[in-house]
Amino acid sequence: MNKLILTTAALALTAGMSFADTIRMGTEGAYPPYNFINDAGEVDGFERELGDELCARAELTCEWVVNDWDSIIPNLVSGNYDTIIAGMSITAERDEVIDFTQNYTQPDPSAYMALSADVDLSGAVIAAQTNTIQASFIAASGATLVEFATPEETVAAVKNGEADAVLADKSYLNPVAEGDADLVLLAQQELIGGGVGMGLRESDAKLRGKFDAAIASMKADGSLNALIAKWEVGEQF
């Protein structure tokens, strides 16, 4: 899942969540099917539908804020919005800076996509979105990593020959490969991360509790599994 590995310490807020009238939901808006901007210019996708339902169950009024991926955690900590709901995998590194709700998806397999099924990954140049767990995985694997700011740029790097393959969430790459006859998904996959959750400031334990309860209720009544199946974002609970 989109997966920031922090290399610098983020600012800490000294005040807890005061539960203003509106909770601002921060997302990237560039990672379908998790989140994207539709033709009407609105946030759409699995996390838009999920987030709206979670807010309703938590009896919160919410609005959506779009933020670039590479600054999405610092801007949460700085107070530009109150949650991150952006395909973010739960990792120990991130949990040192922010808190997470329980996961609302299972770990999503990461897949490789290339122009040919014969790519030798052991000596390949592999593209990944910057500050993701895929980028960290490639860097530790011995392959050559090239990073790009957006997922679209990682795909373009494969098509224009800058990279031999791209590593990203399978749920993101699968429709890309299906829509482009020049691209193929490779058989090898990687299982990275601990599932996707909502990120919140460490000082906002009360707000985290409200969203935790809402996620748990959706797991219990089957509605979360229905959304996962609808948007094809991974295995059901």
Side-chain angles (χ1 to χ4, degrees):
M1 308 237 96
N2 269 342
K3 313 114 188 151
L4 184 61
I5 303 300
L6 294 177
T7 57
T8 58
L11 297 174
L13 294 184
T14 57
M17 181 70 204
S18 60
F19 288 101
D21 291 338
T22 301
I23 301 301
R24 298 157 299 167
M25 307 279 274
T27 195
E28 183 185 15
Y31 205 69
Y34 286 90
N35 57 82
F36 58 92
I37 305 300
N38 63 24
D39 292 341
E42 299 175 342
V43 174
D44 205 340
F46 166 70
E47 286 169 321
R48 173 61 192 266
E49 193 168 350
L50 172 65
D52 286 349
E53 178 63 20
L54 293 176
C55 288
R57 293 185 183 220
E59 299 182 341
L60 297 169
T61 300
C62 297
E63 68 179 20
W64 290 85
V65 179
V66 175
N67 193 95
D68 290 343
W69 176 255
D70 60 359
S71 62
I72 201 164
I73 285 182
N75 281 334
L76 168 72
V77 176
S78 297
N80 291 349
Y81 33 82
D82 305 304
T83 75
I84 294 171
I85 179 166
M88 180 171 283
S89 292
I90 300 168
T91 69
E93 292 88 347
R94 291 177 181 142
D95 199 40
E96 292 179 357
V97 179
I98 62 174
D99 276 347
F100 284 97
T101 62
Q102 63 181 282
N103 63 332
Y104 55 78
T105 76
Q106 305 278 23
D108 191 16
S110 293
Y112 296 93
M113 188 171 67
L115 294 175
S116 168
D118 298 328
V119 172
D120 179 6
L121 294 173
S122 63
V125 176
I126 303 177
Q129 188 177 11
T130 190
N131 293 328
T132 64
I133 58 173
Q134 285 96 344
S136 180
F137 179 87
I138 296 164
S141 73
T144 300
L145 168 67
V146 287
E147 296 181 84
F148 296 89
T150 68
E152 292 87 353
E153 289 174 294
T154 65
V155 174
V158 174
K159 296 195 69 173
N160 66 27
E162 291 182 74
D164 299 309
V166 54
L167 181 64
D169 292 338
K170 185 178 180 181
S171 58
Y172 171 73
L173 291 181
N174 193 52
V176 175
E178 289 178 348
D180 192 323
D182 293 330
L183 296 168
V184 295
L185 289 182
L186 306 187
Q188 182 171 332
Q189 297 183 17
E190 313 294 351
L191 194 59
I192 314 169
V196 174
M198 292 180 69
L200 301 100
R201 289 182 288 270
E202 292 184 333
S203 56
D204 288 344
K206 184 177 179 182
L207 182 61
R208 186 188 68 245
K210 284 180 173 288
F211 281 120
D212 260 334
I215 293 168
S217 73
M218 291 188 70
K219 287 179 178 178
D221 67 17
S223 56
L224 182 54
N225 278 343
L227 278 184
I228 289 170
K230 173 183 176 179
W231 289 99
E232 299 181 351
V233 293
E235 298 295 325
Q236 297 184 20
F237 288 95

